Amino acid sequence: MKKILLICCLTIASVGTLQSQKKDPPNILVFYIDDLRAELGCYGSKTAITPNIDKLASEGILFNKAYTQQAICAPSRMSTLTGLRPENLGIYSIFTPLRKVHKDVVTLPQLFKENGYKTISTGKVYHHFADDKESWTQLVARPQDRYFKPENLKAIADLEAEGKKNPKGPAHEDADVADDAYKDGVVANDAIKMLQKYKNDKFLLFVGFMKPHLPFNAPKKYWDLHDKNKFDIPSKEKPKDMFRLALSEWGELKGYHGIPNEDPLNDETTRTLIHGYYAAVSYMDAQVGKVLQTLEELDLRKNTMIVFMSDHGYKIGEYGTWCKHSNVEIDVRVPFIVSREKGYEKRNEGKVSNALVENVDIFATLADISGFNKPKTDGNSLVPVLDNPELKWDEIATSVYARGKNIMGITATDGEWRYTEWRDAKTHKILQAELYEHKNSLLSFVNLSGIKKYSKVENKMKMLLEKQFPRNAPPFPQNDIPRK
């Protein structure tokens, strides 16, 4: 009888332990990177030098087909942090903060804070620094761009003397300074301080590194990692029969001092900027490494899940253009890596998943992992894919890009083909369609829409797109007015 009681007690104790483990949600650390395209060492790049991110990928799952919902900072970040698509938020520009329009939408930090987590924002998380500030336990001040070279400081001073308010400096700098002289080094230091401060709490920590966003300012040692003369100049050819407004005029880059107002840029300027972009990526990677090292030193890795993601992709001269602001593959595809906490029994390491996933899925995923009741979102929890990376997932991933208030670009990919429609934003009348093949490349140079040979593919993609964007739908909601 005593043996039976002992076995029963042990069984109950074991069940209780398992239940307590199940109820013990992990800490969550999110690296949210600005303007990082899906080109890293772990993604097969022979150019990018990213040992720390590559190591993180070896400790988790690398998603090969991850997509953002709009290739511009503010709307993409709002979508991630609310789990709602831009076309449902109705915000398509960088000028409108979330809380100016949506007072009652439950955000990711708000949900976690209400469930007892310490929520911390370092660096750039929302595009607008103070947007949704009540949802953060601690909102760490965001550092600004810094220049150190005398000639660059003089250029800025001269512009100010001419009466220009808050002029942009040069598009790049390589001063021989310490990592924390530029802003991502400051963000890394802040993140480390937050880990030390909240190490005994449950936390949701967003680390918003701002490189490789312009200006490409990084310490000289990261420029020295790369040989400028070995960078190839991308093809400046634009896709044949592309919609006239499909690509932007990349005014974001042209606004920096010293960038000529020419289209396309000459090869020398292009090569220098490419050098700067990759230097900034390497600089950011080093900061990721510092934060991860601190996580290990504080013995937090066993119960901390890590997400590494970008707000959108980026062009560095491809198609003769720059920056993002479009629906093309290289702008909407993003790097996305998830490494579960080391104490998680189903943890996968060094896996690559070709499942179609989206940034809008992050909200549902983190809420699911933490066991929270969540509001209705547009994304899906990726927990099944995290447990089984070979699982087939969504049929399509969709993104949008508005051109002014009258034209909406909507796009879908099935992982191999990208189909885009440019519609009247009110009537959904199709102004022009585009079909591109992306089986083996981020780039495509021929619009295959309307070509008989590809009609079967186009019809399939058109049907998939219209599931998400019905032709009989109401006008696209507009809570701001985007510029062309």
Side-chain angles (χ1 to χ4, degrees):
M1 184 68 178
K2 288 182 179 180
K3 287 184 178 180
I4 294 174
L5 286 173
L6 179 60
I7 292 171
C8 289
C9 290
L10 288 172
T11 302
I12 292 170
S14 298
V15 171
T17 300
L18 288 172
Q19 287 178 339
S20 67
Q21 287 176 347
K22 189 175 181 181
K23 291 179 181 177
D24 185 27
N27 301 315
I28 297 170
L29 169 61
V30 181
F31 291 106
Y32 208 174
I33 315 302
D34 205 346
D35 284 5
L36 183 65
R37 56 204 248 156
E39 189 185 4
L40 304 164
C42 51
Y43 277 87
S45 173
K46 295 186 180 350
T47 306
I49 300 175
T50 53
N52 296 289
I53 301 169
D54 299 345
K55 183 175 184 295
L56 178 62
S58 74
E59 298 172 348
I61 301 172
L62 180 150
F63 286 87
N64 200 37
K65 297 289 182 178
Y67 293 89
T68 191
Q69 277 46 76
Q70 188 177 343
I72 186 173
C73 293
S76 67
R77 290 166 180 267
M78 291 177 201
S79 180
T80 295
L81 292 162
T82 62
L84 301 173
R85 297 179 184 275
E87 61 268 25
N88 290 329
L89 291 171
I91 298 175
Y92 313 104
S93 81
I94 62 171
F95 305 107
T96 304
L98 174 72
R99 290 306 188 192
K100 182 178 180 180
V101 176
H102 297 286
K103 310 289 185 186
D104 300 322
V105 167
V106 176
T107 65
L108 190 62
Q110 179 184 351
L111 178 68
F112 274 73
K113 188 178 181 183
E114 290 173 351
N115 281 276
Y117 270 65
K118 302 297 184 183
T119 56
I120 310 107
S121 170
T122 59
K124 181 178 177 180
V125 181
Y126 282 96
H127 179 77
H128 302 91
F129 173 69
D131 198 0
D132 196 31
K133 62 183 179 181
E134 292 81 9
S135 294
W136 300 106
T137 304
Q138 187 156 354
L139 180 60
V140 181
R142 184 188 301 177
Q144 301 302 308
D145 287 323
R146 298 174 178 179
Y147 292 87
F148 294 94
K149 288 193 166 184
E151 61 269 29
N152 292 339
L153 294 172
K154 182 179 184 303
I156 296 170
D158 289 345
L159 291 170
E160 290 174 338
E162 293 170 7
K164 293 187 178 180
K165 294 182 179 180
N166 301 316
K168 288 186 176 180
H172 53 85
E173 186 180 84
D174 61 347
D176 192 2
V177 294
D179 282 11
D180 58 4
Y182 290 122
K183 56 186 183 180
D184 268 8
V186 176
V187 173
N189 289 345
D190 289 338
I192 288 168
K193 290 174 184 176
M194 294 301 101
L195 286 173
Q196 293 167 338
K197 179 176 180 179
Y198 294 105
K199 62 184 179 182
N200 296 319
D201 297 292
K202 284 293 177 193
F203 61 78
L204 169 68
L205 171 60
F206 270 78
V207 181
F209 287 126
M210 290 166 274
K211 297 299 125 184
H213 192 288
L214 285 163
F216 304 145
N217 292 0
K220 183 177 180 297
K221 64 182 178 181
Y222 297 105
W223 288 73
D224 291 345
L225 292 175
H226 303 269
D227 183 348
K228 174 181 174 179
N229 296 317
K230 291 185 178 179
F231 290 117
D232 294 327
I233 302 297
S235 171
K236 299 174 185 178
E237 177 188 356
K238 290 179 170 56
K240 184 180 178 183
D241 298 325
M242 177 178 252
F243 181 59
R244 63 185 179 85
L245 297 176
L247 297 171
S248 77
E249 297 180 353
W250 45 281
E252 179 183 8
L253 174 59
K254 292 176 182 175
Y256 282 84
H257 176 69
I259 298 299
N261 190 30
E262 62 183 51
D263 185 0
L265 291 178
N266 62 58
D267 287 358
E268 180 61 23
T269 302
T270 295
R271 190 170 276 110
T272 298
L273 290 170
I274 292 173
H275 190 183
Y277 182 86
Y278 283 110
V281 170
S282 294
Y283 169 51
M284 175 273 296
D285 173 82
Q287 310 320 303
V288 169
K290 292 175 186 177
V291 177
L292 291 177
Q293 181 179 350
T294 300
L295 200 68
E296 293 284 359
E297 290 171 351
L298 294 174
D299 197 26
L300 292 171
R301 189 63 178 95
K302 61 186 177 184
N303 196 36
T304 301
M305 171 182 172
I306 300 171
V307 177
F308 180 92
M309 62 186 297
S310 173
D311 54 356
H312 44 68
Y314 201 78
K315 296 183 294 297
I316 49 175
E318 290 85 5
Y319 304 137
T321 63
W322 294 81
C323 308
K324 49 273 187 181
H325 311 119
S326 85
N327 276 331
V328 298
E329 178 84 1
I330 199 168
D331 284 351
V332 296
R333 186 179 167 202
V334 293
F336 181 48
I337 300 166
V338 178
S339 179
R340 289 298 304 260
E341 60 277 19
K342 288 186 176 180
Y344 182 61
E345 61 181 10
K346 294 183 180 180
R347 185 170 187 260
N348 282 290
E349 294 189 11
K351 302 292 185 180
V352 174
S353 174
N354 287 312
L356 274 177
V357 300
E358 301 175 279
N359 282 3
V360 75
D361 296 328
I362 294 294
F363 192 116
T365 303
L366 298 186
D368 188 7
I369 284 170
S370 302
F372 301 154
N373 293 323
K374 65 176 178 62
K376 186 178 184 304
T377 66
D378 295 327
N380 299 309
S381 170
L382 299 176
V383 170
V385 188
L386 295 178
D387 290 344
N388 180 10
E390 296 181 1
L391 197 65
K392 288 188 177 180
W393 203 238
D394 290 340
E395 285 186 299
I396 59 166
T398 64
S399 307
V400 300
Y401 208 94
R403 292 295 187 212
K405 63 181 180 179
N406 297 320
I407 299 175
M408 179 63 72
I410 55 176
T411 188
T413 180
D414 66 352
E416 293 187 349
W417 299 91
R418 174 162 299 284
Y419 177 71
T420 303
E421 289 181 354
W422 295 92
R423 293 186 185 179
D424 182 298
K426 295 180 180 178
T427 68
H428 289 270
K429 176 184 177 182
I430 300 174
L431 306 176
Q432 186 171 330
E434 297 175 89
L435 177 68
Y436 299 103
E437 184 178 359
H438 288 289
K439 293 180 181 179
N440 301 305
S441 175
L442 285 167
L443 303 175
S444 186
F445 294 93
V446 180
N447 176 11
L448 303 172
S449 176
I451 297 177
K452 185 176 180 180
K453 178 181 176 181
Y454 301 98
S455 59
K456 186 175 180 180
V457 172
E458 183 166 11
N459 289 336
K460 172 199 167 189
M461 294 302 300
K462 184 180 181 69
M463 289 176 60
L464 290 173
L465 182 72
E466 290 191 358
K467 284 184 182 179
Q468 184 75 30
F469 302 99
R471 292 286 306 283
N472 61 354
F476 286 97
Q478 292 193 352
N479 291 310
D480 64 356
I481 300 176
R483 299 174 181 175
K484 288 185 181 180

